[in-house]
Coordinates of all heavy atoms in Angstrom, one line a residue:
M1 N -0.4 11.7 -11.4 CA -0.7 13.0 -11.9 C 0.6 13.9 -11.9 O 0.7 14.9 -11.2 CB -1.7 13.7 -11.0 CG -3.0 13.7 -11.6 SD -4.0 15.1 -11.0 CE -4.4 14.4 -9.4
A2 N 1.6 13.4 -12.6 CA 2.9 14.1 -12.6 C 2.7 15.4 -13.4 O 2.0 15.5 -14.4 CB 3.9 13.3 -13.3
Q3 N 3.3 16.4 -12.9 CA 3.3 17.7 -13.6 C 4.5 17.8 -14.5 O 5.6 17.4 -14.1 CB 3.3 18.9 -12.5 CG 2.0 18.9 -11.7 CD 2.1 19.8 -10.5 OE1 2.9 20.6 -10.5 NE2 1.2 19.6 -9.6
P4 N 4.3 18.3 -15.7 CA 5.3 18.2 -16.7 C 6.6 18.8 -16.3 O 7.7 18.3 -16.7 CB 4.7 19.0 -17.9 CG 3.3 19.4 -17.5 CD 3.1 19.0 -16.1
W5 N 6.6 19.9 -15.5 CA 7.9 20.6 -15.2 C 8.7 19.8 -14.3 O 9.9 20.2 -14.1 CB 7.6 22.0 -14.7 CG 6.6 22.1 -13.6 CD1 5.2 22.2 -13.7 CD2 6.8 21.9 -12.2 NE1 4.6 22.2 -12.5 CE2 5.6 22.0 -11.5 CE3 8.0 21.7 -11.4 CZ2 5.5 21.9 -10.1 CZ3 7.9 21.6 -10.1 CH2 6.6 21.7 -9.4
H6 N 8.2 18.8 -13.6 CA 9.2 18.1 -12.8 C 9.2 16.6 -13.1 O 9.8 15.8 -12.4 CB 9.0 18.3 -11.3 CG 7.7 17.7 -10.8 ND1 7.0 18.3 -9.7 CD2 7.0 16.7 -11.2 CE1 5.9 17.5 -9.5 NE2 5.9 16.6 -10.3
R7 N 8.5 16.2 -14.2 CA 8.6 14.9 -14.6 C 10.0 14.5 -14.9 O 10.7 15.4 -15.4 CB 7.7 14.7 -15.8 CG 7.4 13.2 -16.2 CD 6.5 13.2 -17.4 NE 5.2 13.6 -17.1 CZ 4.4 14.1 -18.0 NH1 4.7 14.3 -19.3 NH2 3.1 14.5 -17.7
G8 N 10.5 13.3 -14.6 CA 11.8 13.0 -14.9 C 12.7 13.3 -13.7 O 13.1 12.4 -13.0
K9 N 12.9 14.6 -13.4 CA 13.7 14.9 -12.3 C 13.1 14.4 -11.0 O 13.8 13.8 -10.2 CB 13.9 16.4 -12.2 CG 14.7 16.8 -11.0 CD 15.4 18.1 -11.0 CE 16.3 18.3 -9.8 NZ 17.1 19.5 -9.8
W10 N 11.8 14.6 -10.9 CA 11.1 14.1 -9.7 C 11.3 12.6 -9.5 O 11.5 12.1 -8.4 CB 9.7 14.5 -9.7 CG 8.9 13.9 -8.6 CD1 7.9 12.9 -8.7 CD2 9.1 14.2 -7.2 NE1 7.5 12.6 -7.4 CE2 8.2 13.3 -6.5 CE3 9.9 15.0 -6.4 CZ2 8.0 13.3 -5.1 CZ3 9.8 15.0 -5.1 CH2 8.9 14.2 -4.4
Q11 N 11.2 11.9 -10.6 CA 11.3 10.4 -10.5 C 12.7 10.0 -10.0 O 12.8 9.1 -9.2 CB 11.0 9.8 -11.9 CG 9.6 9.9 -12.4 CD 8.6 9.4 -11.4 OE1 8.8 8.4 -10.7 NE2 7.5 10.1 -11.2
T12 N 13.7 10.8 -10.5 CA 15.0 10.5 -10.1 C 15.2 10.8 -8.6 O 15.8 10.0 -7.8 CB 16.0 11.4 -10.8 OG1 15.8 11.2 -12.2 CG2 17.5 11.0 -10.5
V13 N 14.7 11.9 -8.1 CA 14.8 12.3 -6.7 C 14.1 11.4 -5.9 O 14.5 10.9 -4.8 CB 14.3 13.8 -6.5 CG1 14.3 14.1 -5.1 CG2 15.2 14.7 -7.3
R14 N 12.9 11.0 -6.3 CA 12.0 10.1 -5.6 C 12.7 8.8 -5.3 O 12.6 8.3 -4.2 CB 10.7 10.0 -6.4 CG 9.6 9.2 -5.8 CD 8.4 9.1 -6.7 NE 7.6 8.0 -6.4 CZ 7.8 6.8 -6.9 NH1 8.8 6.6 -7.8 NH2 7.1 5.8 -6.5
K15 N 13.3 8.3 -6.3 CA 13.9 7.0 -6.2 C 15.1 7.1 -5.2 O 15.3 6.2 -4.4 CB 14.4 6.5 -7.5 CG 13.3 5.8 -8.3 CD 13.9 5.4 -9.7 CE 12.7 5.1 -10.7 NZ 13.1 5.1 -12.0
A16 N 15.8 8.2 -5.3 CA 17.0 8.4 -4.4 C 16.5 8.4 -2.9 O 17.1 7.9 -2.0 CB 17.7 9.6 -4.8
I17 N 15.4 9.1 -2.7 CA 14.9 9.2 -1.3 C 14.4 7.9 -0.8 O 14.6 7.5 0.3 CB 13.7 10.3 -1.3 CG1 14.2 11.7 -1.6 CG2 13.1 10.3 0.1 CD1 15.4 12.2 -0.8
L18 N 13.7 7.2 -1.7 CA 13.2 5.8 -1.2 C 14.4 4.9 -0.9 O 14.3 4.2 0.1 CB 12.3 5.2 -2.3 CG 10.9 5.9 -2.5 CD1 10.2 5.3 -3.7 CD2 10.1 5.7 -1.3
K19 N 15.4 5.1 -1.7 CA 16.6 4.2 -1.4 C 17.3 4.7 -0.1 O 17.6 3.9 0.7 CB 17.6 4.4 -2.6 CG 18.6 3.3 -2.6 CD 19.5 3.5 -3.8 CE 20.7 2.5 -3.7 NZ 21.7 2.8 -4.7
R20 N 17.4 6.0 0.0 CA 18.0 6.5 1.3 C 17.3 6.0 2.5 O 17.9 5.7 3.5 CB 18.0 8.1 1.2 CG 18.6 8.7 2.4 CD 18.3 10.2 2.5 NE 16.9 10.4 2.9 CZ 16.3 11.5 3.1 NH1 16.9 12.6 2.8 NH2 15.0 11.6 3.5
D21 N 16.0 6.1 2.4 CA 15.2 5.7 3.6 C 14.8 4.2 3.6 O 14.0 3.7 4.4 CB 13.9 6.5 3.6 CG 14.2 8.0 4.0 OD1 15.3 8.3 4.5 OD2 13.3 8.8 3.7
N22 N 15.5 3.5 2.7 CA 15.3 2.0 2.6 C 13.9 1.6 2.5 O 13.4 0.6 3.1 CB 15.9 1.4 3.9 CG 16.3 0.0 3.7 OD1 16.5 -0.5 2.5 ND2 16.3 -0.8 4.7
H23 N 13.1 2.4 1.7 CA 11.7 2.1 1.5 C 10.9 1.9 2.8 O 10.0 1.1 2.9 CB 11.5 0.8 0.6 CG 11.9 1.1 -0.8 ND1 10.9 1.4 -1.8 CD2 13.1 1.2 -1.4 CE1 11.5 1.6 -2.9 NE2 12.8 1.5 -2.8
T24 N 11.4 2.6 3.8 CA 10.7 2.5 5.1 C 9.9 3.8 5.3 O 10.5 4.9 5.2 CB 11.8 2.4 6.2 OG1 12.5 1.2 6.0 CG2 11.1 2.2 7.6
C25 N 8.7 3.7 5.7 CA 7.8 4.8 5.9 C 8.4 5.7 7.1 O 8.6 5.2 8.2 CB 6.4 4.4 6.2 SG 5.3 5.7 6.6
Q26 N 8.6 7.0 6.8 CA 9.2 7.9 7.8 C 8.1 8.6 8.6 O 8.5 9.4 9.5 CB 10.1 8.8 7.1 CG 11.2 8.2 6.3 CD 12.2 7.4 7.2 OE1 12.7 7.9 8.2 NE2 12.3 6.1 6.9
I27 N 6.9 8.5 8.2 CA 5.9 9.3 8.9 C 5.5 8.7 10.2 O 5.5 9.5 11.2 CB 4.6 9.5 8.0 CG1 5.0 10.3 6.7 CG2 3.5 10.1 8.7 CD1 3.9 10.6 5.8
R28 N 5.2 7.5 10.3 CA 4.9 6.9 11.5 C 6.1 6.0 12.1 O 6.0 5.4 13.1 CB 3.7 6.0 11.4 CG 2.4 6.8 11.4 CD 1.2 6.0 11.7 NE 1.0 5.0 10.7 CZ 0.3 3.9 10.9 NH1 -0.1 3.6 12.1 NH2 0.2 3.0 9.9
G29 N 7.2 6.1 11.3 CA 8.4 5.4 11.8 C 8.3 4.0 12.0 O 7.6 3.3 11.2
P30 N 8.8 3.5 13.1 CA 8.8 2.0 13.3 C 7.4 1.4 13.5 O 7.2 0.2 13.3 CB 9.6 1.9 14.6 CG 10.1 3.2 15.0 CD 9.5 4.2 14.1
Q31 N 6.5 2.3 13.8 CA 5.1 1.8 13.9 C 4.5 1.4 12.6 O 3.5 0.7 12.6 CB 4.2 2.8 14.6 CG 4.6 3.1 16.0 CD 3.9 4.3 16.6 OE1 3.1 5.0 15.9 NE2 4.2 4.7 17.8
C32 N 5.0 1.9 11.6 CA 4.5 1.6 10.2 C 5.4 0.6 9.5 O 6.6 0.8 9.4 CB 4.4 2.9 9.4 SG 3.7 2.6 7.8
T33 N 4.8 -0.5 9.1 CA 5.6 -1.5 8.5 C 5.2 -1.6 7.0 O 5.6 -2.5 6.3 CB 5.3 -2.9 9.1 OG1 3.9 -3.1 9.2 CG2 5.8 -2.9 10.6
T34 N 4.4 -0.7 6.5 CA 4.0 -0.7 5.1 C 5.2 -0.3 4.3 O 5.9 0.7 4.6 CB 2.8 0.2 4.9 OG1 1.8 -0.1 5.8 CG2 2.3 0.1 3.5
H35 N 5.3 -0.9 3.2 CA 6.4 -0.6 2.2 C 6.2 0.8 1.7 O 5.1 1.1 1.1 CB 6.4 -1.6 1.1 CG 7.6 -1.5 0.2 ND1 8.8 -1.9 0.6 CD2 7.6 -1.2 -1.1 CE1 9.7 -1.7 -0.4 NE2 9.0 -1.3 -1.5
A36 N 7.2 1.7 1.8 CA 7.0 3.0 1.4 C 7.2 3.1 -0.2 O 8.2 2.6 -0.7 CB 8.0 3.9 2.1
T37 N 6.3 3.7 -0.8 CA 6.4 3.9 -2.2 C 6.2 5.4 -2.6 O 6.4 5.8 -3.7 CB 5.3 3.1 -3.0 OG1 4.0 3.4 -2.5 CG2 5.6 1.6 -2.9
H38 N 5.8 6.2 -1.6 CA 5.6 7.6 -1.9 C 6.8 8.4 -1.3 O 7.4 7.9 -0.4 CB 4.3 8.1 -1.2 CG 3.1 7.8 -2.0 ND1 1.9 8.3 -1.7 CD2 2.9 6.9 -3.0 CE1 1.0 7.8 -2.6 NE2 1.5 6.9 -3.3
V39 N 7.0 9.5 -1.8 CA 7.9 10.5 -1.1 C 7.1 11.7 -0.7 O 6.4 12.3 -1.5 CB 9.1 10.8 -2.1 CG1 9.9 11.9 -1.5 CG2 10.0 9.6 -2.2
D40 N 7.3 12.0 0.5 CA 6.5 13.1 1.1 C 7.4 14.4 1.3 O 8.5 14.3 1.6 CB 6.0 12.6 2.4 CG 5.2 13.7 3.2 OD1 4.3 14.3 2.6 OD2 5.5 14.0 4.3
H41 N 6.8 15.5 1.0 CA 7.5 16.8 1.3 C 7.2 17.1 2.8 O 6.0 17.3 3.2 CB 7.0 17.9 0.4 CG 7.5 17.8 -1.0 ND1 6.8 17.3 -2.0 CD2 8.7 18.2 -1.5 CE1 7.5 17.3 -3.1 NE2 8.6 17.9 -2.8
I42 N 8.2 17.2 3.6 CA 8.0 17.5 5.0 C 7.4 18.9 5.1 O 6.4 19.1 5.8 CB 9.4 17.5 5.7 CG1 9.9 16.0 5.7 CG2 9.2 17.9 7.2 CD1 11.3 15.8 6.1
L43 N 7.9 19.9 4.4 CA 7.3 21.2 4.3 C 6.8 21.3 2.9 O 7.6 21.3 2.0 CB 8.3 22.3 4.7 CG 7.7 23.7 4.5 CD1 6.5 24.0 5.5 CD2 8.8 24.8 4.8
S44 N 5.5 21.5 2.7 CA 5.0 21.6 1.3 C 5.7 22.7 0.5 O 5.9 23.8 1.0 CB 3.5 21.9 1.4 OG 3.0 22.2 0.1
P45 N 6.0 22.4 -0.7 CA 6.6 23.4 -1.6 C 5.7 24.6 -1.8 O 6.1 25.7 -2.0 CB 6.8 22.6 -2.9 CG 6.9 21.2 -2.5 CD 6.0 21.1 -1.3
L46 N 4.4 24.3 -1.6 CA 3.4 25.4 -1.7 C 3.6 26.4 -0.6 O 3.1 27.5 -0.6 CB 2.0 24.8 -1.7 CG 1.7 23.8 -2.8 CD1 0.3 23.3 -2.6 CD2 1.8 24.5 -4.2
R47 N 4.3 26.0 0.5 CA 4.5 26.8 1.6 C 6.0 27.2 1.8 O 6.4 27.5 2.9 CB 4.0 26.2 2.9 CG 2.5 25.9 2.7 CD 1.9 25.1 3.8 NE 2.0 25.8 5.1 CZ 2.0 25.2 6.3 NH1 1.9 24.0 6.4 NH2 2.0 26.0 7.4
G48 N 6.7 27.0 0.7 CA 8.1 27.4 0.7 C 9.1 26.3 0.9 O 10.3 26.5 0.9
G49 N 8.7 25.1 1.0 CA 9.6 24.0 1.1 C 10.3 23.7 -0.2 O 9.8 24.1 -1.3
S50 N 11.4 23.0 -0.1 CA 12.1 22.6 -1.3 C 11.5 21.5 -2.1 O 11.1 20.5 -1.5 CB 13.6 22.2 -1.0 OG 14.2 21.7 -2.1
W51 N 11.4 21.6 -3.4 CA 10.8 20.5 -4.2 C 11.7 19.3 -4.2 O 11.2 18.2 -4.1 CB 10.6 21.0 -5.6 CG 9.3 21.6 -5.9 CD1 9.0 22.9 -6.2 CD2 8.0 20.9 -5.9 NE1 7.7 23.1 -6.4 CE2 7.0 21.9 -6.2 CE3 7.6 19.6 -5.7 CZ2 5.7 21.6 -6.3 CZ3 6.2 19.3 -5.8 CH2 5.3 20.3 -6.1
Y52 N 13.0 19.5 -4.4 CA 13.9 18.4 -4.6 C 14.9 18.3 -3.5 O 15.8 17.4 -3.6 CB 14.6 18.6 -6.0 CG 13.6 18.7 -7.1 CD1 13.6 19.9 -7.9 CD2 12.7 17.7 -7.4 CE1 12.7 20.0 -8.9 CE2 11.9 17.8 -8.5 CZ 11.9 19.0 -9.2 OH 11.0 19.1 -10.3
G53 N 14.9 19.1 -2.5 CA 15.9 19.0 -1.5 C 15.7 17.8 -0.6 O 14.7 17.6 -0.1
A54 N 16.8 17.0 -0.5 CA 16.7 15.7 0.2 C 16.3 16.0 1.7 O 15.6 15.2 2.3 CB 18.0 15.0 0.2
H55 N 16.7 17.1 2.2 CA 16.3 17.4 3.6 C 14.9 17.7 3.8 O 14.4 17.6 4.9 CB 17.1 18.7 4.1 CG 16.8 19.9 3.2 ND1 17.4 20.1 2.0 CD2 16.0 20.9 3.5 CE1 16.9 21.2 1.5 NE2 16.0 21.7 2.4
N56 N 14.2 17.9 2.7 CA 12.7 18.2 2.9 C 11.9 17.0 2.4 O 10.7 17.1 2.3 CB 12.4 19.5 2.0 CG 11.0 20.0 2.3 OD1 10.5 20.0 3.5 ND2 10.2 20.3 1.3
L57 N 12.5 15.9 2.1 CA 11.8 14.8 1.6 C 12.0 13.6 2.5 O 13.0 13.4 3.1 CB 12.4 14.4 0.2 CG 12.1 15.5 -0.9 CD1 13.0 15.3 -2.1 CD2 10.7 15.6 -1.2
R58 N 11.0 12.8 2.5 CA 11.1 11.5 3.3 C 10.2 10.5 2.6 O 9.1 10.8 2.0 CB 10.6 11.7 4.7 CG 9.2 12.2 4.8 CD 8.8 12.5 6.2 NE 7.5 13.2 6.3 CZ 6.9 13.6 7.3 NH1 7.4 13.4 8.5 NH2 5.7 14.2 7.3
A59 N 10.6 9.2 2.8 CA 9.8 8.1 2.2 C 8.5 8.0 3.0 O 8.5 8.2 4.3 CB 10.6 6.9 2.2
S60 N 7.5 7.6 2.4 CA 6.2 7.3 3.1 C 5.4 6.3 2.4 O 5.6 6.1 1.2 CB 5.4 8.6 3.3 OG 4.8 9.0 2.1
C61 N 4.6 5.6 3.1 CA 3.7 4.7 2.4 C 2.4 5.5 2.1 O 2.1 6.5 2.7 CB 3.4 3.5 3.3 SG 2.4 3.9 4.8
P62 N 1.7 5.0 1.1 CA 0.5 5.7 0.7 C -0.5 6.0 1.8 O -1.0 7.1 1.9 CB -0.1 4.9 -0.4 CG 1.1 4.1 -1.0 CD 2.0 3.9 0.2
P63 N -0.9 5.0 2.6 CA -1.8 5.3 3.7 C -1.4 6.5 4.6 O -2.2 7.3 4.9 CB -2.0 4.0 4.5 CG -1.5 3.0 3.5 CD -0.5 3.6 2.6
C64 N -0.2 6.4 5.1 CA 0.3 7.5 6.0 C 0.4 8.8 5.2 O 0.0 9.9 5.8 CB 1.7 7.2 6.5 SG 1.7 5.8 7.7
N65 N 0.8 8.8 4.0 CA 1.0 10.0 3.3 C -0.4 10.7 3.0 O -0.5 11.9 3.1 CB 1.6 9.7 1.9 CG 2.1 11.0 1.2 OD1 2.3 12.0 1.8 ND2 2.2 10.9 -0.1
L66 N -1.4 9.9 2.8 CA -2.7 10.4 2.5 C -3.5 10.8 3.7 O -4.5 11.5 3.6 CB -3.5 9.5 1.5 CG -2.7 9.2 0.2 CD1 -3.5 8.2 -0.6 CD2 -2.6 10.5 -0.6
T67 N -3.2 10.2 4.8 CA -4.0 10.4 6.0 C -3.3 11.3 7.1 O -3.9 11.6 8.1 CB -4.4 9.1 6.7 OG1 -3.2 8.4 7.1 CG2 -5.2 8.2 5.7
R68 N -2.1 11.6 6.8 CA -1.4 12.4 7.8 C -2.0 13.7 8.0 O -2.6 14.3 7.1 CB 0.1 12.6 7.5 CG 0.3 13.6 6.4 CD 1.8 13.7 6.1 NE 2.0 14.7 5.0 CZ 2.7 15.8 5.1 NH1 3.3 16.1 6.2 NH2 2.8 16.6 4.1
P69 N -2.0 14.3 9.2 CA -2.6 15.6 9.4 C -1.8 16.6 8.6 O -0.6 16.7 8.6 CB -2.3 15.9 10.9 CG -1.9 14.6 11.5 CD -1.3 13.7 10.4
T70 N -2.5 17.5 7.9 CA -1.9 18.5 7.1 C -1.8 19.8 7.8 O -1.2 20.7 7.4 CB -2.6 18.7 5.7 OG1 -4.0 18.9 6.0 CG2 -2.5 17.4 4.9
H71 N -2.6 19.9 8.9 CA -2.6 21.1 9.6 C -1.6 21.1 10.8 O -1.7 20.2 11.6 CB -4.0 21.4 10.2 CG -5.0 21.7 9.1 ND1 -5.3 23.0 8.7 CD2 -5.6 20.9 8.3 CE1 -6.2 22.9 7.7 NE2 -6.4 21.6 7.4
K72 N -0.7 22.0 10.8 CA 0.2 22.1 11.9 C -0.4 23.2 12.8 O -1.1 24.1 12.4 CB 1.6 22.5 11.4 CG 2.2 21.4 10.7 CD 3.7 21.7 10.3 CE 4.2 20.5 9.6 NZ 5.2 20.8 8.6
P73 N 0.0 23.1 14.1 CA -0.6 24.1 15.0 C -0.3 25.5 14.6 O 0.8 25.8 14.2 CB 0.2 23.8 16.3 CG 0.7 22.4 16.2 CD 0.9 22.2 14.7
G74 N -1.3 26.3 14.6 CA -1.2 27.7 14.3 C -1.3 28.0 12.8 O -1.2 29.1 12.4
T75 N -1.5 27.0 12.0 CA -1.6 27.2 10.6 C -3.0 26.7 10.1 O -3.6 25.8 10.7 CB -0.5 26.5 9.8 OG1 -0.7 25.1 9.9 CG2 0.8 26.9 10.2
R76 N -3.5 27.4 9.1 CA -4.7 27.0 8.6 C -4.7 27.1 7.1 O -4.1 28.0 6.5 CB -5.8 27.9 9.0 CG -6.6 27.4 10.2 CD -7.6 28.3 10.7 NE -8.3 27.6 11.8 CZ -9.6 27.4 11.9 NH1 -10.4 27.9 11.0 NH2 -10.1 26.8 12.9
R77 N -5.3 26.1 6.5 CA -5.4 26.1 5.0 C -6.8 26.2 4.6 O -7.7 25.5 5.1 CB -4.8 24.8 4.5 CG -3.4 24.9 4.0 CD -3.1 23.6 3.4 NE -1.6 23.4 3.4 CZ -1.0 22.2 3.5 NH1 -1.8 21.1 3.5 NH2 0.2 22.1 3.6
K78 N -7.1 27.0 3.6 CA -8.4 27.1 3.1 C -8.6 26.2 2.0 O -9.7 25.6 1.8 CB -8.7 28.5 2.7 CG -8.9 29.5 3.9 CD -9.2 30.9 3.5 CE -9.3 31.8 4.7 NZ -8.7 33.1 4.5
T79 N -7.6 25.9 1.3 CA -7.8 25.0 0.1 C -6.7 23.9 0.3 O -5.7 24.1 0.8 CB -7.6 25.7 -1.2 OG1 -6.3 26.3 -1.2 CG2 -8.7 26.7 -1.5
K80 N -7.1 22.7 -0.2 CA -6.2 21.6 -0.2 C -5.1 21.8 -1.3 O -5.5 22.2 -2.4 CB -6.9 20.3 -0.5 CG -7.6 19.7 0.7 CD -8.0 18.3 0.4 CE -7.9 17.4 1.6 NZ -8.2 16.0 1.2
P81 N -3.9 21.5 -1.0 CA -2.9 21.6 -2.1 C -3.1 20.4 -3.0 O -3.6 19.4 -2.6 CB -1.6 21.4 -1.3 CG -1.9 20.7 -0.1 CD -3.4 21.1 0.2
S82 N -2.8 20.6 -4.3 CA -2.9 19.5 -5.2 C -1.8 18.6 -5.0 O -0.6 18.9 -4.8 CB -2.9 20.1 -6.6 OG -1.7 20.8 -6.9
R83 N -2.1 17.3 -5.1 CA -1.1 16.3 -5.0 C -0.3 16.2 -6.3 O -0.9 16.5 -7.3 CB -1.7 14.9 -4.7 CG -2.7 14.9 -3.5 CD -2.1 15.4 -2.2 NE -0.9 14.7 -1.8 CZ -0.6 14.7 -0.5 NH1 -1.3 15.3 0.4 NH2 0.5 14.2 -0.1
H84 N 0.9 15.9 -6.2 CA 1.7 15.8 -7.4 C 2.1 14.4 -7.8 O 3.2 14.2 -8.4 CB 2.9 16.8 -7.4 CG 3.7 16.5 -6.2 ND1 3.4 17.1 -4.9 CD2 4.8 15.8 -6.0 CE1 4.4 16.7 -4.1 NE2 5.2 15.9 -4.7
W85 N 1.4 13.4 -7.3 CA 1.7 12.1 -7.7 C 0.4 11.3 -8.0 O -0.6 11.8 -7.6 CB 2.5 11.3 -6.7 CG 2.0 11.5 -5.3 CD1 0.9 11.0 -4.8 CD2 2.6 12.3 -4.3 NE1 0.8 11.4 -3.5 CE2 1.8 12.2 -3.2 CE3 3.8 13.1 -4.3 CZ2 2.2 12.9 -2.0 CZ3 4.1 13.8 -3.2 CH2 3.3 13.7 -2.0
Ligands
ZN102 ZN1 3.4 4.5 6.8

């Protein structure tokens, strides 16, 4: 579900992050041995995080990316953010 305004650039950034992190899932770290194919925003762009900043991106595998807790202490979301992949 790529959004038109970042199609292309996102693919480039995504590949760079996966390469940087050696296709290793960064969410559960060494405990996760699943091949990372997703790139996760550490701080959601919907909450002010950078879309393309490498410091805000990490490689993740789909299971970790989709099941990680989205609520940080002290924060609440009423609606789920839309995924962009
Ligand atoms: Zn993982």
Side-chain angles (χ1 to χ4, degrees):
M1 256 207 287
Q3 293 168 19
W5 50 267
H6 69 208
R7 193 179 290 156
K9 175 159 187 175
W10 172 248
Q11 293 306 320
T12 306
V13 172
R14 185 178 157 273
K15 279 178 196 160
I17 297 300
L18 288 172
K19 194 176 173 192
R20 180 196 72 182
D21 290 341
N22 202 25
H23 287 262
T24 303
C25 177
Q26 303 295 306
I27 292 183
R28 285 197 295 153
Q31 294 170 359
C32 182
T33 54
T34 308
H35 189 70
T37 54
H38 282 194
V39 170
D40 178 52
H41 287 97
I42 296 167
L43 176 64
S44 168
L46 301 176
R47 301 172 65 199
S50 168
W51 270 111
Y52 304 119
H55 60 280
N56 192 40
L57 297 166
R58 59 184 171 179
S60 73
C61 66
C64 288
N65 191 24
L66 299 176
T67 60
R68 76 181 176 120
T70 51
H71 293 262
K72 288 185 179 150
T75 64
R76 264 180 180 231
R77 261 188 205 148
K78 287 181 181 138
T79 54
K80 276 191 146 189
S82 57
R83 312 302 304 202
H84 54 275
W85 45 73

